[in-house]
Amino acid sequence: MAALGPLWARELWGAAKNLARDAGTADLRNATRIGGGIRRRPSDANWPSQAAWKRLNDEVDGNLIPVEFPIEACLKDTESAACQNLFNNIHNPYYIGDQPGLTQTLGWVDAWVSKPSVYVVAASNADHIAAAVNFARENDLRLVVKGGGHSYQGTSNAADSLLVWTRCMHDITMHETFVPQGCKGKHTPQRAVTLGSGAIWMQAYDAVTTKGGAYVQGGGCTTVGVAGLVQSGGFGSFSKHYGTAAAGLLEAEVVTADGKVRIANACTNSDLFWALKGGGGGTFGAVSKVTLRVRELPEFWGAAILTVKAASDGAFRRLLRYFVGFYREHLFNDHWGEHAHIASDNVLDLLVVCHDLSTEEVKKIWQPFLDWVARLPAA
Ligand SMILES: Cc1cc2nc3c(=O)[nH]c(=O)nc-3n(C[C@H](O)[C@H](O)[C@H](O)COP(=O)(O)OP(=O)(O)OC[C@H]3O[C@@H](n4cnc5c(N)ncnc54)[C@H](O)[C@@H]3O)c2cc1C
């Protein structure tokens, strides 16, 4: 995530200008992208009346909020206090996550740009989500769901839409003997955790590992949303051992397009359940809760964090060649995860983690690499 903050800040002004320039064409693209039809826009005569919005607000217990687009302040005046406030905070993924009008990236050149919804339902339960889904369906509105806001494809934001925002839904319950609904007698009770769909992985790991002394397989980036990651498959630091996050999904509570709150697991609505295991966020419904498998903690966790700078392009090429071989021999197995980053200036940054290896075993694995690097010629 750290890499995204500076990216945001660097591109913010340019993208803000593009937003203004592209407003007309981007709207048309978006209009045809979702649902295949033209949805109602605020400028349309049949946009819902204030009275209709008020009825929705009552149904969602006052949680219907007009969406502010913080970038607007910079479009008007880059020197304004509001714009300076945005620049001061935009490096912080938690700040971005707390803004219904922002997403964790500004977009993708010529593919999409981050655009705010008109209203957000800051849902706190499945009934709020159902009310929003029904309102959007009955009024032919664009509807979008956002959890952690980390969609690379821009699928959690859409201009002129109604947003279901799950940020406030982060209740977490641990179970010692969980059996999915309708699976009694078919499934052995097992340890599990139920997470509100707006929880981020930091909250999940805190509850399951720090407080619960156990492990749940999620993603490596701790500000990613739980429901978004599970529905996109989800590969994390120890997935080579524990499998994808989607593989750990035992049950979901989902609001489908007809506004019904459904339970999906291997025994109940099983087609929907399999579809949620990697079929893409927002495709099959709005998820309100997920229940994931919980594992025993291994005896050891560890990490190897190294930065190696080669003295020349030639030495760097030799280093990369050696590292790829070293990876194949020693790290390409289910003990190791995370990443190697080939940086500029002939720098190789390694941040790899391991489980079930003692300190002695880790040292033994890495010693040949360290010895080789020590012998790497200075030029
Ligand atoms: C910095 C960064 C690091 C990442 N690291 C990893 C990683 O380690 N492993 C990995 O596998 N992936 C990773 N990803 C990809 C990430 O898992 C996906 O983009 C994921 O879909 C993001 O989920 P979100 O809730 O944060 O995002 P959002 O943008 O909120 O949602 C993503 C999609 O899911 C939908 N969605 C969200 N919540 C719900 C819900 N409750 N019900 C229905 N649909 C919903 C949205 O509509 C959207 O289509 C990373 C992405 C970023 C930007």
Side-chain angles (χ1 to χ4, degrees), residues 1 4 105 145-152 155-156 166 197 219-221 223-225 227-229 231-232 234-236 281-282 285-287:
M1 185 61 245
L4 275 188
T105 73
V145 188
K146 183 156 73 104
H150 282 67
S151 169
Y152 283 119
T155 51
S156 56
T166 59
S197 59
C221 174
T223 50
V224 165
L229 184 120
Q231 288 175 87
S232 60
F235 196 87
V287 174

Side-chain angles (χ1 to χ4, degrees), residues 1 4 93-94 96-98 102-105 145-152 155-156 164-172 195-205 216-236 244-246 249 276 278 280-282 287-292:
M1 185 61 245
L4 275 188
Y94 295 94
I96 297 171
D98 284 338
L102 291 179
T103 43
Q104 297 280 346
T105 73
V145 188
K146 183 156 73 104
H150 282 67
S151 169
Y152 283 119
T155 51
S156 56
V164 172
W165 192 40
T166 59
R167 185 75 170 176
C168 306
M169 297 175 63
H170 47 71
D171 284 352
I172 302 182
L195 303 139
S197 59
I200 56 174
W201 288 104
M202 179 66 89
Q203 292 162 329
Y205 296 145
V216 60
Q217 184 58 62
C221 174
T222 52
T223 50
V224 165
V226 163
L229 184 120
V230 167
Q231 288 175 87
S232 60
F235 196 87
T244 61
L249 181 68
L276 293 172
V287 174
S288 42
K289 284 180 194 167
V290 293
T291 300
L292 302 173

